[in-house]
């Protein structure tokens, strides 16, 4: 196991001075763990990291064909061939014809090419790590994968070389809930999101997007907040209007009476009226839970669920960029539009985050009898509003 850059001998690489901050933190962790010489700890760190393998897009798009793992000469040790993979912070700029597939220690061990005895992680960079990859070593990779279960979600990950301030960072931060949920970088518009094949699959299901035209149609629907629950939005608008007349947040009975009056004026059917009151019940239930958990004050309320579509729109843009359905310039322009629309709908990051969180728990209520999704949403809100490194603590809302 060797680390560093520069060649100082036939089998050992010297260590160059590293920048103060790694692009994501993952790179420094891997480098420092390797330098400490603890192979098992290094394998555990690698098993929990997102790794990417370069693939020609033509090969990735060929049905039934699995491209071989990329091999190259180790830039630090002439004559030594290795399989090369990159961590998310080390990916090169986006290219239309070269893509990156997600991989990991288990996948690498299963697909390992004959005759290659080394794995190079981030070769040619200050964070290069090289591991021996004989059959016995690869069995240890499988054990490390079994211990870790692969990369974990529920983490705030920042690309230090990505946008950290300004309109583009603001727009990307609108999508931070999903980035935290999936354990992905929140501020990257680059060569891959989750990986080319995964990005394409996530566009197909649940969005039904398989081409550029479908992507643009879906994006416009999200920008117009046409996919968030319209019944819930209508019920919230009634409360918002009542609050304007009263000069305060209405009580639940006051809101219910106003809702009944509005439904009567509209001559709503009994079925529509029942669904509207159920939507109100869900909002009251989850707002009360937010208050009990200390993230919503007694007099506060959520007036719109638009944040759910805004946040998902950023995710769709990043998936489309990874799937090569748009280019970086188009993706950046879309992110700027999303950020501007979110800024018009909410007055702060906290309001936006509560709107997203409420929409998510209401959306998944029927599928969440254990409360797991509520716990996830609460944790994401707290991470984004309380973590000192969160964009919600470091980027002005407007």
């Amino acid at each position: 196991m060797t680390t560093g850059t520069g060649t100082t001998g036939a089998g050992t690489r010297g260590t160059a001075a590293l920048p103060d901050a790694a692009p994501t933190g993952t790179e420094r962790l891997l480098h420092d763990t390797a330098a400490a010489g603890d192979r098992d700890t290094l394998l555990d760190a690698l098993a929990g990291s997102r790794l990417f393998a370069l693939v020609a897009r033509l090969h990735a798009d060929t049905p039934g064909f699995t491209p071989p793992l990329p091999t190259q000469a180790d830039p630090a040790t002439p004559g030594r061939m290795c399989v090369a993979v990159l961590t998310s912070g080390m990916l090169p700029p986006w290219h239309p014809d070269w893509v990156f597939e997600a991989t990991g220690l288990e996948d690498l061990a299963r697909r390992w090419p004959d005759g290659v005895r080394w794995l190079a992680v981030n070769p040619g960079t200050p964070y290069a790590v090289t591991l021996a990859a004989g059959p016995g070593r690869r069995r240890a990779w499988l054990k490390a994968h079994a211990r870790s279960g692969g990369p974990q979600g529920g983490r705030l990950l920042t690309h230090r070389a990505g946008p950290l301030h300004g309109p583009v960072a603001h727009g990307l931060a609108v999508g931070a809930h999903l980035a935290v949920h999936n354990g992905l970088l929140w501020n990257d518009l680059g060569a891959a999101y989750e990986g080319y094949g995964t990005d394409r699959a996530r566009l197909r299901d649940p969005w039904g997007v398989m081409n550029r035209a479908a992507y643009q149609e879906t994006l416009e629907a999200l920008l117009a907040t046409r996919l968030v629950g319209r019944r819930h939005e209508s019920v919230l608008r009634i409360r918002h209007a009542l609050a304007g007349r009263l000069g305060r947040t209405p009580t639940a009975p006051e809101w219910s009476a106003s809702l009944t009056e509005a439904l009567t004026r509209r001559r709503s059917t009994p079925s529509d009226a029942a669904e509207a009151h159920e939507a109100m019940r869900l909002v009251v239930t989850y707002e009360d839970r937010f208050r009990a958990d200390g993230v919503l004050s007694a007099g506060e309320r959520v007036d719109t669920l638009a944040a759910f579509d805004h946040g998902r729109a950023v995710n769709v843009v990043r998936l489309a960029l990874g799937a090569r359905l748009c280019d970086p310039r188009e993706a950046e322009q879309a992110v700027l539009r999303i950020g501007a629309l979110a800024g018009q709908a909410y007055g702060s990051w906290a309001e936006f985050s509560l709107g997203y969180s409420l929409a998510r728990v209401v959306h998944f209520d029927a599928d969440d009898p254990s409360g797991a999704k509520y716990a996830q949403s609460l944790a994401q809100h707290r991470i984004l509003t309380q973590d000192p490194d969160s964009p919600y603590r470091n980027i002005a809302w407007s």
Side-chain angles (χ1 to χ4, degrees):
M1 177 172 60
T2 57
T3 67
T5 58
T7 303
T8 60
T12 304
R13 284 189 279 167
T15 301
L18 298 180
D20 289 339
T24 69
T26 297
E27 291 77 22
R28 179 174 286 279
L29 171 64
L30 294 176
H31 183 278
D32 291 349
T33 303
D38 186 336
R39 187 186 69 181
D40 288 342
T41 301
L42 174 61
L43 291 182
D44 287 343
L46 276 171
S49 302
R50 293 186 182 275
L51 305 176
F52 296 87
L54 176 68
V55 179
R57 184 179 171 190
L58 176 64
H59 292 165
D61 287 341
T62 301
F65 176 66
T66 301
L69 292 170
T71 59
Q72 67 176 56
D74 187 337
T77 307
R80 186 164 74 183
M81 295 300 295
C82 56
V83 168
V85 297
L86 299 172
T87 54
S88 54
M90 292 285 101
L91 294 177
W94 185 95
H95 190 284
D97 298 322
W98 292 94
V99 299
F100 287 87
E101 291 286 13
T103 186
L105 288 183
E106 181 185 43
D107 181 57
L108 291 169
R110 179 174 52 82
R111 297 171 54 200
W112 196 259
D114 293 336
V116 180
R117 294 296 176 129
W118 298 92
L119 170 66
V121 182
N122 299 325
T125 78
Y127 303 97
V129 174
T130 304
L131 295 85
R137 299 296 178 89
R138 299 200 300 272
R139 285 193 289 272
W141 298 0
L142 295 173
K143 293 179 181 178
H145 173 81
R147 287 194 300 270
S148 74
Q152 301 300 305
R155 299 187 298 163
L156 175 66
L157 299 177
T158 301
H159 197 317
R160 297 301 171 187
L164 298 172
H165 302 284
V168 174
H170 182 281
L172 287 170
V174 167
H177 285 84
L178 275 165
V180 168
H181 177 71
N182 293 309
L184 299 166
L185 297 171
W186 70 265
N187 65 328
D188 185 45
L189 283 176
Y193 188 29
E194 295 188 64
Y196 181 69
T198 305
D199 293 344
R200 289 167 60 86
R202 288 193 181 276
L203 284 173
R204 287 194 300 271
D205 184 14
W207 297 108
V209 169
M210 299 179 66
N211 54 51
R212 179 178 170 82
Y215 155 64
Q216 292 174 328
E217 181 179 344
T218 298
L219 177 60
E220 291 302 321
L222 287 165
L223 289 170
T225 63
R226 293 200 298 267
L227 301 185
V228 74
R230 304 314 303 167
R231 192 177 305 282
H232 297 88
E233 278 290 275
S234 175
V235 168
L236 288 173
R237 281 198 297 270
I238 289 170
R239 181 175 65 172
H240 179 66
L242 178 59
R245 295 195 298 271
L246 297 175
R248 59 173 172 78
T249 297
T251 64
E254 289 171 335
W255 184 12
S256 179
S258 184
L259 175 58
T260 298
E261 181 182 345
L263 293 168
T264 301
R265 286 198 308 269
R266 298 172 189 170
R267 297 182 179 178
S268 298
T269 66
S271 175
D272 286 343
E275 290 180 5
H277 278 283
E278 172 62 11
M280 176 192 154
R281 185 193 68 79
L282 285 176
V283 170
V284 170
T285 297
Y286 283 114
E287 284 186 337
D288 284 346
R289 291 185 69 176
F290 285 152
R291 291 188 184 96
D293 286 317
V295 297
L296 187 66
S297 298
E300 291 182 326
R301 64 182 184 273
V302 175
D303 284 335
T304 175
L305 306 182
F308 197 49
D309 276 3
H310 294 151
R312 293 188 296 172
V314 174
N315 187 63
V316 166
V317 170
R318 297 184 66 186
L319 289 170
L321 181 63
R324 301 313 189 258
L325 297 183
C326 67
D327 62 34
R329 183 192 62 81
E330 293 172 304
E332 182 175 297
Q333 291 302 309
V335 165
L336 289 171
R337 288 178 65 194
I338 297 165
L341 289 169
Q344 295 169 14
Y346 297 92
S348 68
W349 282 116
E351 287 183 13
F352 171 85
S353 185
L354 283 169
Y356 183 95
S357 301
L358 179 61
R360 185 174 187 268
V361 294
V362 165
H363 181 77
F364 288 113
D365 174 77
D367 303 319
D368 192 30
S370 68
K373 286 187 169 59
Y374 175 82
Q376 287 175 349
S377 298
L378 184 64
Q380 291 161 21
H381 174 77
R382 284 175 167 159
I383 288 171
L384 287 168
T385 56
Q386 298 176 14
D387 191 309
D389 292 328
S390 168
Y392 293 9
R393 300 289 298 274
N394 295 284
I395 300 173
W397 177 250
S398 59

